[in-house]
Each structure stands twice: as C-alpha cells, then as structure tokens.
C-alpha cells in the first residue's frame, strides 16, 4: 500500500514539473517573439553547418536581420540593413518579386552562403553578387527550384541592378557544336549536380553557367520576366507540368542556336537538393 502511494506521489510530482516546464517555455517563446518585433537585443542561436553562432537581431517591415553577436559595428549593421532593404524593395517594385511572408537574413563570415525556407545565410556584408541574389530567390521560392533558371534570372537582375555584365568565352557557334553531341545534352537539365565539380568537369560547368545565362536571357526576351519567374516557381514542385513546359523551352533555345539535337521529357520529375556542411552532397528525391 505504501509502495502504491509513493508511485502516485512521484507521478504527481512529475506532472507538476512538466506543467511548470511547459508554461516556462511558452513564456520564453512569447518573450522572444516580442523582442524580435520590437528591435531589441534579443539573441538567437542557429546552426549553419558546423558549430553554432549567436546572432543579435533587428527588423524592418519585411525582413528580420540577424548579425553575428560582437562581430559588426552598429554603423556596419545599419548600412547593410539599408542596402538589403533597398535591394528587396527594388526586387518587389521593378522585378515584381514580392515578399508574401517575412524573410530572415543571417550575416556571419562563418556562414555558408545559401537560401532556404525563407532564411538567407550570408557570409559577408557585400550583397552585390549573383550568389546573394540566387540565395534570395531560393529562400522565397524554395531551394529545390531549378538552379539554372534561378541563376539565369539572378544574372538578369544583377545586370539591370548593378550593371554587372556576365563574362563568358562561349559563343553561339560553340553552343551549336557542343549541343549537337548526345553526351553533352544532359547538361541542359541545368539542375544543381551540373554545377558541381564532383559530378562534372570544369569545362562542362563552364558550359552549364553560360547556358543558364543565355537560355534564360533568351527566355526573358521571348516571354518576359514574369513568365520566367512563374516557370521558376513551378520548378520547385514534383509536377510533370513543369518538365513538359521546361523541355519545350529548352528545345526552342536549342533550335535558335542551331543545335541538331532535342531534349526529351523525363519519365518522372526529378529535383535536386544541395546538402551543406562538412559532408556536402547532392541527391535526387
């Protein structure tokens, strides 16, 4: 009988502790949210790859900013916030890329530059690069969007925004000859593995980046930026509608450059996700 009483008492104590713990966590969570929206010195710890980094936050209407704690001066943080907010506003007003939900931007030299799930991890205070624009697009449309479309659109934006022209030593006649060989045609998928040296040679990657630039430039000239962005959005879904439409657009471009081969619609939709960190790899899913 005494044993049963002890068990009951212990159970009651455990329930009491769990209840107190739940209430405490809820209060901390609510306080954290309150701190962020009121631009206080709330600190968040995230894990970008290896180790952890402590960030100090600030906020604008559409973006939450997090800077590595103790790394940047107030002037540096204010200047970055001003530049990035202006960048976002221009993307919305000029390029019709709205932020329907808030985005969080994490700034630290320890970061690996990428965008995912409405989060952008940036490794420097400089934002005038194609890679930052790619990360921004991936953060709002999904990191599994077709990388070639994403890269080409980012190049178009940066050329118009920063007057930063794309440098390539490949001419149309080179594309025509290159894509008239079956073994080279798979590069036209323009998915992440094409842009990774562990899968393809330096020459192949050079063709991949140049193809993405010229293909998307032609696409925007023919059908406009809005259509190209809509196609980018579709690419994040495992939907054959995208693959059929995308294959048609690739074949139009191949015909325009005089290539003798055409791409085939894949049997199933395949998208790729890049895993970042010490054991970086790429896999289909």
């Amino acid at each position: 009988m005494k044993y049963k009483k002890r068990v009951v008492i212990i159970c009651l104590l455990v329930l009491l502790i769990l209840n107190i713990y739940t209430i405490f966590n809820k209060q901390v969570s609510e306080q954290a949210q309150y701190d962020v929206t009121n631009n206080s010195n709330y600190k968040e710890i995230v894990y970008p790859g290896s180790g952890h980094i402590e960030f100090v936050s600030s906020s604008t209407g559409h973006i939450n900013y997090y800077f590595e704690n103790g790394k940047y001066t107030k002037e540096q943080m204010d200047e970055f916030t001003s530049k990035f907010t202006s960048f976002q506003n221009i993307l919305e007003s000029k390029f019709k890329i709205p932020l329907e939900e808030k985005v969080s931007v994490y700034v630290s030299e320890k970061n690996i530059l990428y965008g995912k799930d409405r989060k952008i991890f940036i490794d420097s205070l400089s934002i005038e690069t194609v890679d930052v624009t790619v990360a921004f697009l991936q953060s709002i449309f999904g990191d599994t969007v077709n990388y070639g479309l994403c890269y080409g659109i980012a190049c178009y934006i940066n050329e118009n925004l920063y007057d930063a022209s794309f440098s390539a030593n490949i001419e149309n006649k080179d594309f025509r000859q290159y894509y008239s060989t079956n073994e080279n045609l798979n590069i036209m998928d323009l998915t992440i593995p094409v842009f990774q040296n562990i899968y393809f040679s330096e020459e192949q990657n050079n063709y991949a980046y140049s193809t993405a630039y010229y293909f998307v430039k032609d696409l925007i000239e023919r059908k406009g930026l809005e259509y190209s962005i809509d196609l980018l959005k579709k690419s994040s879904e495992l939907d054959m509608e995208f693959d059929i439409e995308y294959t048609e657009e690739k074949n139009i471009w191949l015909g325009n450059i005089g290539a003798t081969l055409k791409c085939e619609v894949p049997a199933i939709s395949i998208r790729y996700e890049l895993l970042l960190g010490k054991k970086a790899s790429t896999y289909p899913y």
Side-chain angles (χ1 to χ4, degrees), residues 40-269:
S40 74
N41 290 323
Y42 167 68
K43 298 172 185 177
E44 179 178 347
I45 295 177
V46 298
Y47 295 81
S50 59
H52 72 268
I53 305 174
E54 187 180 71
F55 293 89
V56 179
S57 74
S58 63
S59 180
T60 63
H62 292 89
I63 304 174
N64 292 326
Y65 293 94
Y66 299 89
F67 296 89
E68 182 180 351
N69 189 29
K71 183 68 177 179
Y72 306 103
T73 65
K74 183 180 184 304
E75 288 75 17
Q76 286 176 314
M77 291 188 287
D78 288 344
E79 182 181 358
F80 178 90
T81 301
S82 176
K83 284 196 306 181
F84 203 93
T85 301
S86 176
F87 168 70
Q88 181 270 316
N89 288 335
I90 292 173
L91 257 60
E92 184 166 14
S93 60
K94 183 176 181 178
F95 300 103
K96 309 306 178 185
I97 304 176
L99 282 185
E100 296 174 355
E101 299 176 36
K102 273 202 171 187
V103 165
S104 295
V105 178
Y106 298 85
V107 185
S108 169
E109 292 178 1
K110 300 173 185 175
N111 281 339
I112 300 169
L113 176 59
Y114 75 106
K116 182 176 184 178
D117 299 334
R118 311 201 71 78
K119 295 181 178 65
I120 308 170
F121 293 90
I122 297 180
D123 55 2
S124 78
L125 293 173
S126 175
I127 67 169
E128 298 86 0
T129 68
V130 170
D131 289 336
V132 169
T133 306
V134 167
F136 184 91
L137 295 174
Q138 287 178 321
S139 74
I140 59 176
F141 297 135
D143 63 323
T144 54
V145 293
N146 180 276
Y147 186 82
L149 283 174
C150 196
Y151 178 80
I153 291 172
C155 285
Y156 175 84
I157 290 172
N158 278 43
E159 280 189 338
N160 284 271
L161 198 55
Y162 306 119
D163 195 25
S165 59
F166 178 83
S167 59
N169 54 2
I170 300 176
E171 301 177 5
N172 271 356
K173 62 181 179 66
D174 298 318
F175 284 121
R176 180 169 60 250
Q177 181 179 355
Y178 194 76
Y179 288 122
S180 295
T181 304
N182 271 312
E183 63 185 24
N184 295 330
L185 200 59
N186 63 340
I187 289 177
M188 280 297 298
D189 287 340
L190 298 179
T191 51
I192 284 176
V194 172
F195 300 88
Q196 299 297 308
N197 287 332
I198 57 175
Y199 292 94
F200 292 88
S201 68
E202 184 177 346
E203 181 191 35
Q204 288 173 314
N205 286 328
N206 188 23
Y207 269 96
Y209 279 108
S210 298
T211 297
Y213 171 79
Y214 288 111
F215 166 66
V216 173
K217 184 177 181 180
D218 177 74
L219 185 65
I220 292 173
E221 288 175 353
R222 286 191 295 107
K223 293 195 170 180
L225 178 62
E226 185 176 352
Y227 171 83
S228 304
I229 292 173
D230 285 341
L231 190 62
L232 177 67
K233 292 178 185 177
K234 288 181 183 178
S235 71
S236 64
E237 304 295 333
L238 285 172
D239 188 336
M240 286 300 297
E241 180 185 347
F242 164 77
D243 297 273
I244 294 169
E245 191 173 353
Y246 182 51
T247 301
E248 181 181 344
E249 297 299 342
K250 288 188 293 185
N251 287 334
I252 291 173
W253 183 77
L254 288 170
N256 288 344
I257 64 172
T260 59
L261 297 177
K262 287 188 175 183
C263 298
E264 297 291 335
V265 178
I268 58 172
S269 293

